[in-house]
Amino acid sequence: AATLVVGVGIGRMSRAPVTEGAPGLAATDPAAEAANAADAAEPYRMAAITHLVSSQALLTSFPADTDAGRAGEVADWAGKLLLTTRLLRDTPAGEDPQIGTLLADLEIVLAQLAALPVGGSEGTVRTELEIINDGIDRRNVLPRIRVATAARGVAEP
C-alpha cells in the first residue's frame, strides 16, 4: 500500500506543465502527452510488479503454512494483499491487459485465502485448500505471475 502511495505521488509530480496557448486552453503535443501518460503509469506498474512478487510468495508458501497450523496468518496476509490488489486494479497498471487480467484472477484467489475457515475442522480447511489450489492451477496464476515479473527483470522471491 505504501508503494502505491509513493507511485501516486510520483505520478502527480511527473505531469507535464501546461504549455502556452490560447487563453483558457492548454496546448498539448499528442506525442508528449502519450509519453507523459506512459511515464505517469510506470510507478503503478512497478507497484503492481512488487505486489505480484509478494503474492507469489504467499501462493507458494500457503500450503506448507496451513499444514503447519498457520491458516490464520495466511488469511491475514491474503487479506492485506487482497486490499492492495483491489487498489491496483483501479490504477493505470490495472488497465494493462496482461497485469489487469492477472490482478483480476489474483483477486479471486486472495479472496478465497482471506476467507479460510480458521477455526473450522481439518476436513473443511482441506476442502477449501483443494478448491483454492484448483483455482490457482486452472487460472495459471503462478506461471503468469512469474512471466509478468520476469518480463520486467524482477527476480523470484
Side-chain angles (χ1 to χ4, degrees), residues 42 46 49 98-99 143-155:
E42 188 58 27
M46 290 309 301
I49 296 302
Q98 180 188 21
I99 294 176
R144 289 169 53 210
I145 289 174
R146 288 182 183 116
V147 167
T149 56
R152 285 161 178 85
V154 177

Side-chain angles (χ1 to χ4, degrees), residues 71-113:
E73 293 173 25
V74 169
D76 288 342
W77 188 8
K80 291 173 185 170
L81 290 172
L82 177 61
L83 174 63
T84 304
T85 301
R86 288 179 174 163
L87 290 171
L88 285 169
R89 286 193 65 202
D90 291 332
T91 68
E95 295 172 8
D96 178 286
Q98 180 188 21
I99 294 176
T101 56
L102 179 53
L103 288 172
D105 289 340
L106 180 62
E107 180 179 14
I108 294 167
V109 172
L110 291 174
Q112 291 173 319
L113 281 169

Side-chain angles (χ1 to χ4, degrees), residues 20-147:
E20 292 183 33
L25 298 176
T28 58
D29 176 14
E33 193 172 295
N36 286 336
D39 289 344
E42 188 58 27
Y44 294 106
R45 282 191 211 96
M46 290 309 301
I49 296 302
T50 302
H51 174 67
L52 290 173
V53 170
S54 298
S55 298
Q56 178 182 358
L58 171 67
L59 297 180
T60 303
S61 69
F62 88 85
D65 288 341
T66 53
D67 286 345
R70 294 188 297 267
E73 293 173 25
V74 169
D76 288 342
W77 188 8
K80 291 173 185 170
L81 290 172
L82 177 61
L83 174 63
T84 304
T85 301
R86 288 179 174 163
L87 290 171
L88 285 169
R89 286 193 65 202
D90 291 332
T91 68
E95 295 172 8
D96 178 286
Q98 180 188 21
I99 294 176
T101 56
L102 179 53
L103 288 172
D105 289 340
L106 180 62
E107 180 179 14
I108 294 167
V109 172
L110 291 174
Q112 291 173 319
L113 281 169
L116 270 176
V118 177
S121 70
E122 187 173 326
T124 303
V125 173
R126 281 287 134 224
T127 302
E128 289 294 324
L129 291 174
E130 288 174 13
I131 292 169
I132 293 167
N133 275 320
D134 183 55
I136 291 169
D137 291 342
R138 241 182 317 109
R139 291 182 179 88
N140 293 317
V141 175
L142 277 171
R144 289 169 53 210
I145 289 174
R146 288 182 183 116
V147 167

